[in-house]
Amino acid sequence: MDETLELTERRVTGCCRPALAPRLDAAAAKRLSDDLSILSHPMRLQILDLLAQRDGQICVCDLEAALPVKQPTVSHHLKLLREAGLIDSERRGLWVYYMIRCEAVTALRDRLLTQLDALR
Amino acid sequence: MDETLELTERRVTGCCRPALAPRLDAAAAKRLSDDLSILSHPMRLQILDLLAQRDGQICVCDLEAALPVKQPTVSHHLKLLREAGLIDSERRGLWVYYMIRCEAVTALRDRLLTQLDALR
DNA sequence: CAACTATATTGACAACCTTCAATCTATATG
DNA sequence: CATATAGATTGAAGGTTGTCAATATAGTTG
């Protein structure tokens, strides 16, 4: 039985139309979902919010005091945000101060916006 | 030792400033992260993309053919998207056709945009 | 340098998420 | 009604992520 016949049969049954392929390929989908994943945790959102609010700098102990998790957990999320390029840190004496990288947040926002708008 | 003294000491040490509280409360952060989570999977993004592209309707067998996962996995992601209100379905005979809910995607996009813009 | 403090790292554990084979349900058709 | 097909559901297995106690590191201060 040849493919042409098979395709015709499928069309006849009323179901599937020919060749449906994603515009968004697997790699692009992965990149977009990575962009979304870094943001999709309440604690990371609250940390970004705190850093944005006090647009100077905040030390870890302030963050720890403002959030309902222990210090290693705060450090863990800070590390993820830093690896994603969304925040930066600077040691001053005993303390480490964190600050938001506005251009990076803006760039991320713009990427998300562009790609979400393509989904319509 | 009273609190006032403690606060003064902290300020003197150069670290923590008074009262840092998230503008984004825990519940709002959870809602936002839920919005992000539904999107943050490559397969769901590709499904939305396929549905947006063919803005009519697509049956599950077409989706299954276009994606590198088995039928139960496709159904699983479709269920999550439907529960999130981003897509809709309609049985026609043996087949179930899925369609994107543009207003819902737009509303989600707008929510994200608003809240991300507050993070700066 | 000893004692101390702020933060980072490690490792263990639990919770959650993704996937699939197997099975179930609904519909169609001979 | 028997058989067949599309899709949903269930349950198990594996993977990833989030949390914390314990510990390590880096800087400070007497």
XYZ file of all heavy atoms in Angstrom, chain C residues 1-5 10-11 13-17 20-21 24 26-30, chain D residues 1-5 7 10-11 14-21 26-30:
840
model
P 48.986 33.477 62.311
O 48.659 32.181 61.879
O 49.029 34.704 61.628
O 48.815 33.743 63.886
C 48.852 32.790 64.883
C 47.622 33.032 65.746
O 47.268 34.427 65.691
C 46.370 32.301 65.220
O 45.501 32.060 66.324
C 45.704 33.362 64.364
C 45.884 34.516 65.352
N 45.581 35.846 64.762
C 44.828 36.725 65.538
O 44.464 36.412 66.677
N 44.501 37.931 65.028
C 44.919 38.246 63.794
N 44.591 39.457 63.329
C 45.688 37.371 62.992
C 45.989 36.179 63.512
P 45.210 30.607 66.854
O 46.352 30.139 67.658
O 44.753 29.821 65.684
O 43.996 30.851 67.848
C 44.176 31.791 68.938
C 42.828 32.335 69.348
O 42.509 33.512 68.567
C 41.674 31.362 69.141
O 40.766 31.519 70.222
C 41.085 31.784 67.797
C 41.331 33.290 67.804
N 41.584 33.885 66.488
C 42.250 33.317 65.419
N 42.357 34.117 64.377
C 41.703 35.280 64.777
C 41.469 36.503 64.124
N 41.887 36.768 62.896
N 40.787 37.451 64.814
C 40.391 37.187 66.056
N 40.554 36.068 66.788
C 41.218 35.156 66.078
P 39.428 30.661 70.272
O 39.206 30.227 71.671
O 39.444 29.671 69.164
O 38.352 31.787 69.941
C 38.425 33.045 70.617
C 37.330 33.950 70.075
O 37.727 34.487 68.797
C 36.005 33.213 69.834
O 34.951 34.074 70.244
C 35.983 32.963 68.342
C 36.714 34.207 67.832
N 37.370 34.043 66.543
C 38.001 32.928 66.043
N 38.518 33.091 64.844
C 38.199 34.415 64.531
C 38.463 35.200 63.401
N 39.132 34.769 62.333
N 38.011 36.474 63.426
C 37.339 36.924 64.502
N 37.033 36.267 65.625
C 37.500 35.003 65.568
P 33.446 33.590 70.072
O 32.689 34.134 71.225
O 33.414 32.140 69.748
O 32.999 34.413 68.783
C 33.093 35.841 68.823
C 32.714 36.398 67.461
O 33.705 36.007 66.489
C 31.371 35.867 66.939
O 30.482 36.969 66.792
C 31.709 35.217 65.599
C 33.047 35.873 65.248
N 33.904 35.063 64.347
C 34.367 35.662 63.170
O 34.073 36.836 62.922
N 35.151 34.932 62.312
C 35.456 33.660 62.611
N 36.215 33.008 61.749
C 34.984 33.033 63.812
C 34.209 33.761 64.639
P 28.942 36.686 66.453
O 28.122 37.623 67.232
O 28.710 35.221 66.481
O 28.888 37.148 64.938
C 29.332 38.456 64.571
C 29.244 38.548 63.066
O 30.303 37.742 62.489
C 27.932 37.985 62.520
O 27.384 38.929 61.618
C 28.324 36.705 61.813
C 29.778 36.973 61.435
N 30.615 35.759 61.315
C 31.461 35.667 60.251
O 31.563 36.526 59.402
N 32.192 34.518 60.217
C 32.170 33.472 61.113
O 32.890 32.490 60.966
C 31.249 33.626 62.219
C 31.121 32.542 63.260
C 30.516 34.754 62.267
P 29.945 22.703 46.241
O 31.272 22.331 45.730
O 28.823 22.983 45.310
O 29.476 21.558 47.253
C 30.033 21.530 48.551
C 29.350 20.451 49.376
O 28.262 21.054 50.118
C 28.732 19.291 48.584
O 29.138 18.092 49.204
C 27.234 19.534 48.679
C 27.113 20.243 50.011
N 25.973 21.169 50.177
C 25.278 21.147 51.373
O 25.537 20.383 52.280
N 24.267 22.063 51.456
C 23.880 22.979 50.494
O 22.960 23.734 50.695
C 24.652 22.948 49.271
C 24.308 23.882 48.175
C 25.650 22.059 49.175
P 28.959 16.656 48.529
O 30.214 15.918 48.745
O 28.424 16.866 47.165
O 27.820 15.978 49.415
C 27.691 16.311 50.789
C 26.388 15.745 51.322
O 25.383 16.796 51.358
C 25.768 14.627 50.486
O 25.085 13.778 51.385
C 24.796 15.369 49.575
C 24.268 16.415 50.557
N 23.737 17.633 49.962
C 24.048 18.179 48.736
N 23.390 19.300 48.497
C 22.608 19.488 49.638
C 21.695 20.513 49.963
O 21.382 21.504 49.289
N 21.120 20.320 51.210
C 21.390 19.262 52.041
N 20.734 19.242 53.198
N 22.241 18.294 51.754
C 22.819 18.464 50.538
P 18.526 10.805 53.468
O 18.413 10.109 54.763
O 18.813 10.087 52.207
O 17.194 11.639 53.268
C 16.844 12.651 54.215
C 15.658 13.400 53.655
O 16.095 14.268 52.604
C 14.598 12.473 53.048
O 13.356 12.730 53.701
C 14.596 12.822 51.567
C 15.157 14.240 51.561
N 15.839 14.653 50.301
C 15.578 15.936 49.798
O 14.783 16.666 50.410
N 16.184 16.340 48.655
C 17.040 15.532 48.026
N 17.621 15.986 46.919
C 17.324 14.223 48.525
C 16.707 13.834 49.656
P 12.025 11.886 53.295
O 11.390 11.434 54.537
O 12.397 10.925 52.228
O 11.104 13.010 52.652
C 11.147 14.334 53.189
C 10.438 15.268 52.235
O 11.311 15.598 51.131
C 9.171 14.663 51.628
O 8.181 15.674 51.648
C 9.611 14.270 50.213
C 10.655 15.329 49.905
N 11.701 14.948 48.959
C 12.418 13.779 48.929
N 13.308 13.725 47.955
C 13.157 14.952 47.317
C 13.805 15.518 46.203
N 14.769 14.905 45.515
N 13.411 16.759 45.818
C 12.434 17.374 46.519
N 11.763 16.944 47.576
C 12.169 15.714 47.923
P 6.656 15.350 51.246
O 5.813 15.939 52.307
O 6.533 13.920 50.858
O 6.486 16.246 49.944
C 6.919 17.602 49.987
C 6.898 18.148 48.581
O 8.017 17.614 47.839
C 5.628 17.736 47.818
O 5.081 18.924 47.277
C 6.129 16.745 46.759
C 7.582 17.177 46.570
N 8.499 16.117 46.178
C 8.631 14.877 46.740
N 9.566 14.140 46.187
C 10.087 14.965 45.195
C 11.112 14.767 44.249
N 11.824 13.650 44.139
N 11.379 15.798 43.404
C 10.668 16.933 43.506
N 9.687 17.228 44.363
C 9.442 16.182 45.181
P 3.728 18.849 46.412
O 2.981 20.095 46.701
O 3.101 17.515 46.564
O 4.314 18.959 44.923
C 5.314 19.942 44.639
C 5.858 19.675 43.260
O 6.716 18.514 43.279
C 4.759 19.382 42.234
O 4.957 20.284 41.151
C 5.002 17.926 41.838
C 6.495 17.768 42.097
N 6.977 16.385 42.346
C 8.074 15.914 41.605
O 8.590 16.652 40.766
N 8.520 14.659 41.829
C 7.939 13.884 42.755
N 8.439 12.661 42.932
C 6.829 14.351 43.523
C 6.382 15.601 43.292
P 3.877 20.302 39.927
O 3.566 21.710 39.619
O 2.802 19.312 40.218
O 4.745 19.711 38.717
C 6.129 20.008 38.622
C 6.683 19.279 37.426
O 7.110 17.952 37.832
C 5.687 19.083 36.290
O 6.362 19.474 35.097
C 5.330 17.592 36.343
C 6.560 16.969 36.993
N 6.341 15.764 37.862
C 7.188 14.649 37.692
O 8.067 14.686 36.818
N 7.012 13.564 38.486
C 6.048 13.569 39.416
N 5.914 12.480 40.176
C 5.191 14.698 39.613
C 5.372 15.768 38.819
P 6.908 9.514 25.863
O 7.906 9.157 24.849
O 5.749 10.345 25.499
O 6.373 8.164 26.521
C 7.315 7.277 27.121
C 6.564 6.119 27.740
O 5.796 6.611 28.855
C 5.568 5.460 26.773
O 5.815 4.069 26.751
C 4.203 5.778 27.362
C 4.518 6.025 28.827
N 3.585 6.970 29.486
C 3.102 6.673 30.769
O 3.473 5.641 31.320
N 2.239 7.532 31.358
C 1.871 8.650 30.722
N 1.021 9.465 31.355
C 2.359 8.972 29.418
C 3.209 8.112 28.833
P 5.342 3.211 25.554
O 6.571 2.709 24.895
O 4.319 3.934 24.792
O 4.650 1.976 26.296
C 5.352 1.307 27.338
C 4.368 0.546 28.205
O 3.572 1.484 28.961
C 3.377 -0.337 27.438
O 3.185 -1.517 28.207
C 2.113 0.524 27.380
C 2.194 1.280 28.710
N 1.587 2.606 28.692
C 1.686 3.548 27.706
N 1.057 4.670 27.988
C 0.505 4.447 29.242
C -0.278 5.258 30.089
N -0.661 6.489 29.790
N -0.655 4.728 31.264
C -0.265 3.490 31.575
N 0.474 2.632 30.864
C 0.837 3.186 29.690
P -9.853 -1.701 32.069
O -10.340 -2.090 33.413
O -9.991 -2.608 30.909
O -10.549 -0.323 31.706
C -10.434 0.759 32.637
C -11.021 2.000 31.993
O -10.220 2.333 30.842
C -12.452 1.799 31.478
O -13.270 2.834 32.012
C -12.328 1.876 29.964
C -11.075 2.718 29.788
N -10.341 2.500 28.515
C -10.104 3.593 27.671
O -10.517 4.701 28.002
N -9.432 3.393 26.508
C -8.988 2.181 26.190
N -8.320 2.034 25.046
C -9.214 1.052 27.040
C -9.894 1.250 28.183
P -18.423 7.216 28.520
O -18.956 8.356 29.280
O -19.114 5.901 28.519
O -18.286 7.670 26.998
C -17.487 8.809 26.691
C -17.438 8.920 25.188
O -16.594 7.871 24.670
C -18.806 8.741 24.526
O -18.969 9.801 23.613
C -18.723 7.377 23.840
C -17.228 7.247 23.576
N -16.721 5.872 23.526
C -16.979 4.863 24.397
N -16.357 3.739 24.106
C -15.630 4.053 22.967
C -14.750 3.296 22.164
N -14.463 2.021 22.397
N -14.194 3.926 21.106
C -14.482 5.202 20.875
N -15.290 6.021 21.564
C -15.839 5.372 22.605
P -20.389 10.018 22.886
O -20.615 11.476 22.848
O -21.391 9.091 23.459
O -20.103 9.544 21.393
C -19.038 10.153 20.678
C -18.683 9.257 19.537
O -18.225 7.980 20.034
C -19.846 8.938 18.607
O -19.625 9.624 17.391
C -19.805 7.412 18.459
C -18.425 7.058 18.995
N -18.266 5.701 19.558
C -17.402 4.847 18.933
O -16.760 5.142 17.951
N -17.299 3.594 19.510
C -17.982 3.145 20.625
O -17.805 2.009 21.034
C -18.871 4.103 21.229
C -19.644 3.708 22.439
C -18.974 5.323 20.677
P -20.593 9.482 16.155
O -20.419 10.685 15.312
O -21.930 9.082 16.635
O -19.953 8.258 15.367
C -18.641 8.422 14.817
C -18.317 7.174 14.040
O -18.226 6.071 14.966
C -19.372 6.796 13.005
O -18.700 6.617 11.771
C -19.981 5.492 13.525
C -18.880 4.942 14.412
N -19.338 4.154 15.560
C -20.196 4.534 16.552
N -20.398 3.610 17.466
C -19.610 2.552 17.042
C -19.375 1.267 17.584
N -19.942 0.822 18.698
N -18.511 0.459 16.908
C -17.952 0.915 15.785
N -18.086 2.098 15.189
C -18.939 2.876 15.880
P -19.597 6.426 10.448
O -18.839 7.071 9.358
O -20.999 6.777 10.727
O -19.520 4.845 10.254
C -18.258 4.183 10.377
C -18.512 2.701 10.207
O -18.851 2.112 11.488
C -19.673 2.372 9.276
O -19.344 1.218 8.530
C -20.822 2.082 10.242
C -20.027 1.333 11.327
N -20.690 1.205 12.629
C -20.449 0.056 13.356
O -19.725 -0.827 12.976
N -21.097 -0.004 14.566
C -21.963 0.948 15.097
O -22.483 0.770 16.191
C -22.172 2.121 14.280
C -23.090 3.213 14.771
C -21.538 2.190 13.101
P -20.086 0.904 7.133
O -19.202 1.385 6.054
O -21.490 1.400 7.226
O -20.085 -0.692 7.108
C -18.850 -1.395 7.299
C -19.120 -2.750 7.935
O -19.668 -2.547 9.264
C -20.137 -3.596 7.180
O -19.744 -4.960 7.212
C -21.434 -3.396 7.958
C -20.910 -3.234 9.380
N -21.790 -2.430 10.231
C -22.293 -1.183 9.954
N -23.045 -0.720 10.907
C -23.045 -1.707 11.874
C -23.696 -1.760 13.138
O -24.425 -0.908 13.670
N -23.427 -2.960 13.795
C -22.635 -3.969 13.309
N -22.494 -5.026 14.086
N -22.015 -3.928 12.121
C -22.270 -2.771 11.472
P -28.126 -5.252 21.923
O -27.743 -4.013 22.417
O -29.160 -6.158 22.265
O -26.952 -5.962 21.110
C -26.866 -7.347 21.127
C -25.783 -7.695 20.171
O -25.887 -6.846 18.994
C -24.390 -7.440 20.746
O -23.529 -8.450 20.227
C -24.007 -6.103 20.152
C -24.619 -6.222 18.759
N -24.845 -4.925 18.089
C -24.269 -4.748 16.812
O -23.622 -5.670 16.283
N -24.441 -3.572 16.173
C -25.159 -2.610 16.776
N -25.306 -1.454 16.120
C -25.751 -2.782 18.059
C -25.563 -3.951 18.664
P -22.249 -8.881 21.004
O -22.315 -10.305 21.386
O -21.987 -7.853 22.029
O -21.184 -8.760 19.833
C -21.413 -9.477 18.600
C -20.292 -9.126 17.647
O -20.535 -7.817 17.085
C -18.910 -9.050 18.309
O -17.945 -9.565 17.412
C -18.731 -7.570 18.609
C -19.514 -6.910 17.470
N -20.189 -5.666 17.833
C -20.845 -5.388 19.016
N -21.390 -4.198 19.044
C -21.067 -3.648 17.806
C -21.341 -2.403 17.219
N -22.044 -1.443 17.830
N -20.869 -2.180 15.984
C -20.156 -3.141 15.374
N -19.839 -4.364 15.824
C -20.317 -4.550 17.058
P -16.387 -9.511 17.859
O -15.767 -10.721 17.281
O -16.276 -9.204 19.300
O -15.844 -8.259 17.038
C -16.155 -8.161 15.633
C -15.606 -6.850 15.111
O -16.445 -5.758 15.552
C -14.198 -6.533 15.602
O -13.423 -6.136 14.483
C -14.403 -5.406 16.608
C -15.633 -4.716 16.024
N -16.449 -3.912 16.964
C -16.913 -2.687 16.547
O -16.689 -2.239 15.444
N -17.667 -2.006 17.477
C -17.991 -2.413 18.753
O -18.672 -1.714 19.486
C -17.469 -3.702 19.125
C -17.758 -4.247 20.491
C -16.724 -4.386 18.232
P -11.832 -5.831 14.650
O -11.156 -6.385 13.462
O -11.399 -6.175 16.020
O -11.816 -4.242 14.492
C -12.441 -3.658 13.330
C -12.394 -2.162 13.499
O -13.368 -1.766 14.491
C -11.034 -1.659 14.006
O -10.597 -0.599 13.182
C -11.301 -1.212 15.427
C -12.770 -0.822 15.355
N -13.450 -0.913 16.638
C -13.394 -1.930 17.554
N -14.114 -1.713 18.634
C -14.676 -0.458 18.405
C -15.541 0.344 19.178
N -16.003 -0.014 20.368
N -15.912 1.536 18.655
C -15.438 1.889 17.451
N -14.616 1.217 16.637
C -14.280 0.041 17.180
P -9.109 -0.036 13.336
O -8.563 0.044 11.981
O -8.427 -0.751 14.431
O -9.385 1.449 13.832
C -10.349 2.246 13.132
C -10.563 3.488 13.946
O -11.387 3.171 15.086
C -9.254 4.045 14.516
O -9.206 5.440 14.289
C -9.332 3.728 16.005
C -10.838 3.769 16.230
N -11.288 3.015 17.413
C -12.259 3.574 18.196
O -12.765 4.657 17.953
N -12.626 2.826 19.277
C -12.123 1.599 19.651
O -12.534 1.027 20.649
C -11.102 1.063 18.790
C -10.476 -0.275 19.114
C -10.738 1.785 17.726
P -8.003 12.147 17.879
O -8.432 13.512 17.557
O -6.657 11.682 17.513
O -8.205 11.934 19.429
C -9.453 12.353 19.982
C -9.542 11.922 21.418
O -9.433 10.493 21.503
C -8.449 12.487 22.330
O -9.125 13.244 23.313
C -7.765 11.258 22.914
C -8.809 10.163 22.717
N -8.254 8.844 22.580
C -7.320 8.414 21.660
N -7.017 7.161 21.802
C -7.785 6.724 22.875
C -7.870 5.452 23.497
O -7.257 4.421 23.197
N -8.776 5.457 24.554
C -9.513 6.557 24.964
N -10.317 6.363 25.995
N -9.435 7.748 24.391
C -8.556 7.760 23.369
P -8.656 8.980 36.305
O -9.824 8.744 37.184
O -7.877 10.232 36.397
O -7.654 7.748 36.490
C -8.000 6.476 35.940
C -6.852 5.508 36.172
O -5.931 5.567 35.047
C -6.018 5.762 37.425
O -5.835 4.527 38.065
C -4.716 6.345 36.885
C -4.613 5.648 35.541
N -3.848 6.334 34.474
C -3.020 5.584 33.676
O -2.859 4.391 33.821
N -2.377 6.290 32.693
C -2.483 7.643 32.435
O -1.861 8.153 31.523
C -3.376 8.371 33.317
C -3.554 9.834 33.122
C -4.010 7.693 34.280
P -5.310 4.438 39.593
O -6.160 3.431 40.252
O -5.163 5.800 40.160
O -3.852 3.803 39.420
C -3.641 2.806 38.414
C -2.158 2.558 38.284
O -1.604 3.389 37.224
C -1.337 2.906 39.521
O -0.235 2.024 39.542
C -0.882 4.332 39.246
C -0.592 4.225 37.754
N -0.619 5.472 37.019
C -1.278 6.630 37.348
N -1.098 7.581 36.469
C -0.271 7.013 35.512
C 0.270 7.546 34.313
O 0.106 8.681 33.849
N 1.060 6.629 33.641
C 1.303 5.350 34.060
N 2.092 4.610 33.296
N 0.801 4.831 35.170
C 0.031 5.715 35.840
P 12.757 3.252 37.068
O 13.722 2.372 36.362
O 12.659 3.259 38.546
O 13.016 4.739 36.575
C 12.841 5.075 35.191
C 13.050 6.565 35.034
O 11.921 7.270 35.624
C 14.299 7.090 35.741
O 15.028 7.879 34.802
C 13.772 7.886 36.927
C 12.382 8.303 36.450
N 11.399 8.477 37.513
C 11.158 7.654 38.588
N 10.204 8.097 39.368
C 9.796 9.288 38.776
C 8.801 10.208 39.168
O 8.052 10.166 40.142
N 8.726 11.273 38.282
C 9.502 11.429 37.167
N 9.285 12.524 36.440
N 10.435 10.572 36.783
C 10.537 9.528 37.640
P 16.351 8.700 35.235
O 17.279 8.674 34.099
O 16.784 8.308 36.597
O 15.741 10.180 35.327
C 14.995 10.696 34.216
C 14.613 12.126 34.509
O 13.555 12.142 35.482
C 15.766 12.947 35.081
O 15.862 14.149 34.323
C 15.383 13.188 36.539
C 13.862 13.025 36.530
N 13.313 12.449 37.764
C 13.681 11.286 38.390
N 12.995 11.033 39.472
C 12.122 12.102 39.569
C 11.126 12.386 40.540
O 10.806 11.725 41.541
N 10.463 13.577 40.263
C 10.725 14.387 39.194
N 9.985 15.504 39.096
N 11.647 14.136 38.270
C 12.306 12.983 38.526
P 16.992 15.242 34.609
O 17.364 15.821 33.310
O 18.010 14.663 35.519
O 16.166 16.352 35.416
C 14.902 16.760 34.914
C 14.257 17.686 35.912
O 13.744 16.938 37.031
C 15.239 18.716 36.497
O 14.636 19.985 36.304
C 15.376 18.292 37.957
C 14.018 17.655 38.211
N 13.942 16.684 39.314
C 12.976 16.857 40.293
O 12.192 17.788 40.292
N 12.960 15.894 41.265
C 13.794 14.806 41.375
O 13.674 14.017 42.298
C 14.782 14.676 40.328
C 15.736 13.532 40.349
C 14.807 15.606 39.361
P 15.288 21.352 36.848
O 14.868 22.441 35.960
O 16.724 21.090 37.130
O 14.526 21.558 38.249
C 13.097 21.474 38.284
C 12.623 21.887 39.660
O 12.744 20.773 40.567
C 13.412 23.036 40.290
O 12.452 23.926 40.833
C 14.298 22.351 41.318
C 13.436 21.159 41.729
N 14.119 19.935 42.201
C 13.583 19.265 43.281
O 12.595 19.658 43.879
N 14.256 18.129 43.641
C 15.374 17.599 43.046
O 15.883 16.562 43.470
C 15.883 18.339 41.920
C 17.102 17.834 41.202
C 15.242 19.458 41.549
P 12.843 25.184 41.716
O 11.847 26.238 41.498
O 14.291 25.471 41.547
O 12.612 24.594 43.172
C 11.279 24.410 43.618
C 11.284 24.158 45.103
O 12.023 22.955 45.360
C 11.954 25.265 45.930
O 11.107 25.544 47.030
C 13.285 24.667 46.348
C 13.001 23.168 46.349
N 14.121 22.316 45.974
C 15.007 22.503 44.951
N 15.890 21.548 44.852
C 15.575 20.677 45.874
C 16.179 19.458 46.269
O 17.155 18.898 45.770
N 15.535 18.885 47.358
C 14.441 19.429 47.994
N 13.946 18.747 49.015
N 13.865 20.568 47.632
C 14.480 21.134 46.578
P 11.525 26.648 48.116
O 10.265 27.222 48.610
O 12.574 27.526 47.551
O 12.178 25.808 49.287
C 11.350 24.950 50.068
C 12.216 24.170 51.035
O 13.108 23.323 50.282
C 13.125 25.038 51.889
O 12.571 25.138 53.191
C 14.473 24.322 51.894
C 14.225 23.061 51.103
N 15.341 22.689 50.204
C 15.980 21.487 50.412
O 15.667 20.726 51.299
N 17.004 21.219 49.542
C 17.443 22.019 48.503
O 18.379 21.669 47.784
C 16.728 23.263 48.334
C 17.118 24.206 47.249
C 15.728 23.533 49.179
P 13.290 26.034 54.336
O 12.286 26.353 55.365
O 14.060 27.116 53.694
O 14.331 24.999 54.976
C 13.848 23.738 55.442
C 15.024 22.913 55.898
O 15.803 22.522 54.740
C 15.988 23.685 56.813
O 16.240 22.892 57.955
C 17.233 23.884 55.983
C 17.169 22.712 55.014
N 17.853 22.976 53.723
C 18.650 21.969 53.152
O 18.747 20.892 53.741
N 19.287 22.216 51.982
C 19.144 23.393 51.374
N 19.788 23.576 50.228
C 18.330 24.435 51.932
C 17.701 24.185 53.100
P 16.734 23.602 59.303
O 15.614 23.494 60.257
O 17.343 24.904 58.994
O 17.901 22.604 59.755
C 17.666 21.200 59.799
C 18.990 20.461 59.762
O 19.574 20.585 58.442
C 20.045 20.978 60.741
O 20.760 19.857 61.241
C 20.914 21.871 59.877
C 20.860 21.156 58.520
N 20.986 22.046 57.364
C 20.409 23.266 57.195
N 20.683 23.829 56.044
C 21.499 22.908 55.401
C 22.131 22.904 54.143
N 22.025 23.902 53.260
N 22.872 21.837 53.810
C 22.972 20.831 54.690
N 22.416 20.707 55.910
C 21.690 21.806 56.210
P 37.684 31.234 50.259
O 37.885 31.024 48.818
O 38.763 30.952 51.250
O 37.212 32.725 50.489
C 35.846 33.102 50.285
C 35.587 34.372 51.064
O 35.084 34.028 52.383
C 36.844 35.212 51.303
O 36.485 36.560 51.113
C 37.199 34.927 52.747
C 35.817 34.735 53.350
N 35.768 33.937 54.562
C 36.498 32.829 54.898
N 36.204 32.331 56.081
C 35.206 33.177 56.552
C 34.475 33.202 57.749
N 34.627 32.298 58.722
N 33.550 34.178 57.899
C 33.396 35.064 56.922
N 34.028 35.152 55.747
C 34.928 34.165 55.626
P 37.599 37.715 50.973
O 37.286 38.401 49.707
O 38.944 37.135 51.242
O 37.257 38.724 52.154
C 35.948 39.294 52.212
C 35.627 39.577 53.644
O 35.723 38.358 54.397
C 36.603 40.552 54.320
O 35.893 41.733 54.657
C 37.092 39.828 55.556
C 36.084 38.707 55.712
N 36.626 37.538 56.366
C 37.587 36.667 55.901
N 37.867 35.718 56.741
C 37.032 35.970 57.835
C 36.882 35.277 59.060
O 37.477 34.262 59.440
N 35.936 35.880 59.877
C 35.211 37.008 59.553
N 34.340 37.453 60.456
N 35.340 37.670 58.412
C 36.271 37.087 57.607
P 36.646 42.923 55.450
O 35.955 44.176 55.086
O 38.112 42.783 55.265
O 36.301 42.609 56.972
C 34.927 42.592 57.388
C 34.905 42.465 58.897
O 35.431 41.172 59.269
C 35.757 43.509 59.613
O 34.916 44.128 60.579
C 36.909 42.703 60.228
C 36.277 41.315 60.391
N 37.181 40.141 60.362
C 37.155 39.278 61.429
O 36.444 39.428 62.406
N 37.999 38.198 61.318
C 38.858 37.907 60.269
O 39.567 36.907 60.295
C 38.839 38.860 59.181
C 39.720 38.634 57.989
C 38.011 39.930 59.278
P 35.391 45.478 61.313
O 34.293 46.446 61.185
O 36.749 45.805 60.857
O 35.504 45.055 62.847
C 34.885 43.844 63.301
C 35.546 43.436 64.597
O 36.404 42.281 64.366
C 36.453 44.493 65.250
O 36.276 44.405 66.651
C 37.853 44.059 64.819
C 37.681 42.532 64.914
N 38.644 41.730 64.151
C 38.990 40.499 64.648
O 38.560 40.054 65.685
N 39.886 39.794 63.883
C 40.457 40.191 62.690
O 41.247 39.458 62.102
C 40.046 41.490 62.209
C 40.606 42.030 60.927
C 39.177 42.192 62.961
P 36.773 45.596 67.577
O 35.563 46.225 68.148
O 37.764 46.415 66.856
O 37.506 44.797 68.747
C 36.769 43.867 69.552
C 37.716 42.833 70.136
O 38.430 42.161 69.080
C 38.777 43.442 71.067
O 38.935 42.598 72.203
C 40.048 43.429 70.225
C 39.838 42.188 69.358
N 40.542 42.264 68.079
C 40.538 43.312 67.177
N 41.260 43.074 66.118
C 41.780 41.794 66.333
C 42.636 40.999 65.528
O 43.128 41.267 64.424
N 42.910 39.772 66.135
C 42.414 39.365 67.344
N 42.786 38.167 67.763
N 41.616 40.096 68.108
C 41.340 41.291 67.537
